[in-house]
Amino acid sequence: MSYYPLTSIPDYYSIDALLTEEHKLIRDSVRSWVESFVMPQIDEAAQNHTDIPGLMKELGNIGALGPYIPEEYGGPGLDQISYGLIMQELERGDSAVRSAASVQSSLVMFPIFEYGSEEQKRKYLPKLASGDLIGCFGLTEPNHGSDPSSMESKFTDQGDHYLLNGAKMWITNSPVADIAVVWAKGEDGKVRGMILERGMEGFTTPTTHNKWSLRASKTGELVFNNVKVPKENLLPNIEGLKGPLSCLNSARYGISWGVIGAAIDCYCTAVQYTKERKQFGKPIASFQLQQKKLAEFLTEITKAQLLCLQLGNLKNAHKASPAQISMAKRNNVKMAIDIARESRQMLGGMGIMGEFPMMRHAANLESVITYEGTHDIHLLITGMDITGINAFG
């Protein structure tokens, strides 16, 4: 037995009927690409701790980079549900693939589109959309994760340029990125965003080694040692933490969809495996405990699909609150990691083998449940929204 090509996506509540024909066409085309391009090589990439060659260009070719960016800036101009469905299909392949697209879209292209100058938009967005440029996002620091307001990276005004010092950590794509959207404090203590380009003197991107998670993705640091940043590289239309946090909201929304794909991959594999695997003279799918688990998986996937669909409707109407996005991210990642772990057990010893996706998804989701706001931080965001009382700190 080995990897099973997907024949259908679980749709227990006829959610497809709520999607447009365009939504389904986009989802199905990305699904086909994942089947043909990602699945044949993802296990080898994860096992060898290497990224997939040419991934960003391929993602650009299928319109998965900045899907909601308007056509005039090189994007396909799709809606938020289309973006979510793309993320779902990419993460069914692997969290590292979805992370690459998510960072490029929500953490690099989004802030340039929302807060950049017209010159910045036209210079960077088309090449980011095509994958000709790779971007990364610098917010988290070695000493500051959940509390970005305490960041230590700072820049000073030197007249004709800014001078940036500091460091960022756990940065997806940093070792291969051409540009970085970096958030740092000015002399007035206000957080601002700026665009750094590879090759700027004093700007280095050390690789993070020995990861047990997201092994098909490059992770690293951003180190700034008296980096001279041209003044025209400052994002002119935002100041304060609202800037980076709005980027994270977009990324968290994509994650809430993406992890459904990981859960679906584990669920579909478990269904087929348990129908074929025989013990005590009959398929193990005939045993009550196995059916209990499969029924629970499908229930949780269906709930997550409905949660994301309504969140997508709210996003399209510009009505989705940060707390609603936090609820979806927290719920759906927990759902996916639980299914990955439990379905691994259903395959017994085979569940640890690279021919099957469970261990790879489970390891990846250990990162996803931590990044873009930890599981507990999202709980406190929801709690604050319920009570009006800030429990942070």
Side-chain angles (χ1 to χ4, degrees):
M1 295 184 185
S2 61
Y3 166 70
Y4 301 115
L6 184 69
T7 55
S8 64
I9 287 285
D11 186 20
Y12 205 65
Y13 265 51
S14 300
I15 297 169
D16 261 21
L18 304 176
L19 302 175
T20 67
E21 290 304 313
E22 182 182 44
H23 289 149
K24 288 181 277 190
L25 179 63
I26 291 165
R27 180 197 62 195
D28 294 348
S29 65
V30 177
R31 183 185 304 166
S32 296
W33 176 82
V34 167
E35 289 289 328
S36 64
F37 183 78
V38 176
M39 292 305 195
Q41 54 186 330
I42 187 59
D43 178 62
E44 183 178 358
Q47 295 277 6
N48 295 331
H49 209 319
T50 59
D51 48 355
I52 296 175
L55 176 63
M56 296 304 285
K57 287 285 289 181
E58 286 284 340
L59 288 170
N61 289 339
I62 65 170
L65 302 177
Y68 45 76
I69 297 297
E71 292 182 25
E72 65 177 304
Y73 298 116
L78 304 176
D79 72 349
Q80 291 292 325
I81 291 175
S82 297
Y83 174 54
L85 289 167
I86 291 170
M87 295 300 106
Q88 172 185 281
E89 295 305 314
L90 294 182
E91 194 146 1
R92 192 176 64 79
D94 194 80
S95 298
V97 178
R98 194 268 310 145
S99 288
S102 178
V103 167
Q104 186 96 333
S105 302
S106 290
L107 301 183
V108 180
M109 298 177 73
F110 174 83
I112 293 174
F113 174 68
E114 286 289 326
Y115 308 126
S117 65
E118 189 65 23
E119 181 183 6
Q120 290 168 344
K121 293 177 191 179
R122 297 199 179 277
K123 179 179 180 180
Y124 296 111
L125 290 177
K127 291 183 178 180
L128 288 165
S130 66
D132 289 314
L133 284 180
I134 299 175
C136 65
F137 173 88
L139 179 63
T140 298
E141 296 187 349
N143 295 325
H144 306 286
S146 297
D147 181 19
S149 64
S150 298
M151 72 173 66
E152 297 171 38
S153 294
K154 291 182 170 60
F155 65 94
T156 56
D157 191 332
Q158 300 296 305
D160 61 345
H161 66 272
Y162 298 113
L163 199 64
L164 175 66
N165 283 281
K168 304 292 181 178
M169 195 172 187
W170 307 120
I171 310 301
T172 294
N173 289 345
S174 83
V176 296
D178 301 292
I179 69 169
V181 173
V182 173
W183 302 89
K185 286 182 178 177
E187 294 163 275
D188 58 1
K190 293 181 179 178
V191 173
R192 301 296 298 269
M194 54 183 60
I195 303 169
L196 272 64
E197 297 185 5
R198 184 172 294 281
M200 288 181 172
E201 188 175 354
F203 175 36
T204 55
T205 58
T207 300
T208 300
H209 297 286
N210 300 324
K211 297 183 300 177
W212 287 112
S213 181
L214 297 178
R215 288 173 59 86
S217 172
K218 286 285 193 295
T219 306
E221 302 172 49
L222 302 174
V223 180
F224 322 116
N225 183 16
N226 289 325
V227 180
K228 293 181 179 179
V229 183
K231 287 202 164 179
E232 62 265 25
N233 285 34
L234 191 77
L235 297 177
N237 299 318
I238 191 68
E239 65 177 38
L241 279 175
K242 177 184 176 182
L245 293 182
S246 67
C247 302
L248 291 175
N249 280 329
S250 180
R252 291 163 178 169
Y253 167 74
I255 289 168
S256 69
W257 278 94
V259 293
I260 297 174
I264 285 171
D265 197 31
C266 294
Y267 165 78
C268 290
T269 303
V271 170
Q272 191 155 348
Y273 185 92
T274 56
K275 287 182 177 180
E276 295 180 6
R277 174 71 167 172
K278 292 184 178 180
Q279 292 291 287
F280 306 104
K282 54 186 177 181
I284 61 174
S286 65
F287 294 102
Q288 290 182 1
L289 282 178
Q290 304 285 30
Q291 292 190 12
K292 171 184 180 291
K293 291 174 183 178
L294 293 174
E296 289 174 342
F297 295 170
L298 182 57
T299 300
E300 294 306 313
I301 288 170
T302 301
K303 286 157 63 177
Q305 288 172 321
L306 291 166
L307 189 63
C308 273
L309 183 62
Q310 177 58 7
L311 185 60
N313 289 329
L314 292 170
K315 281 277 286 180
N316 280 337
H318 304 287
K319 293 181 178 178
S321 72
Q324 288 170 328
I325 294 170
S326 283
M327 177 183 282
K329 193 268 186 182
R330 179 182 181 275
N331 180 83
N332 291 7
V333 179
K334 179 65 161 56
M335 172 277 298
I337 200 170
D338 286 348
I339 288 176
R341 291 166 174 166
E342 195 69 22
S343 62
R344 202 291 306 158
Q345 292 191 51
M346 295 176 74
L347 269 66
M350 293 303 295
I352 71 167
M353 300 301 294
E355 290 87 347
F356 297 98
M358 282 73 167
M359 282 290 284
R360 176 168 49 81
H361 282 308
N364 287 339
L365 290 164
E366 290 290 350
S367 290
V368 181
I369 206 168
T370 297
Y371 70 31
E372 318 270 351
T374 69
H375 191 64
D376 291 339
I377 286 293
H378 285 299
L379 194 68
L380 293 181
I381 290 172
T382 304
M384 183 168 63
D385 201 45
I386 293 169
T387 64
I389 301 169
N390 185 345
F392 294 93

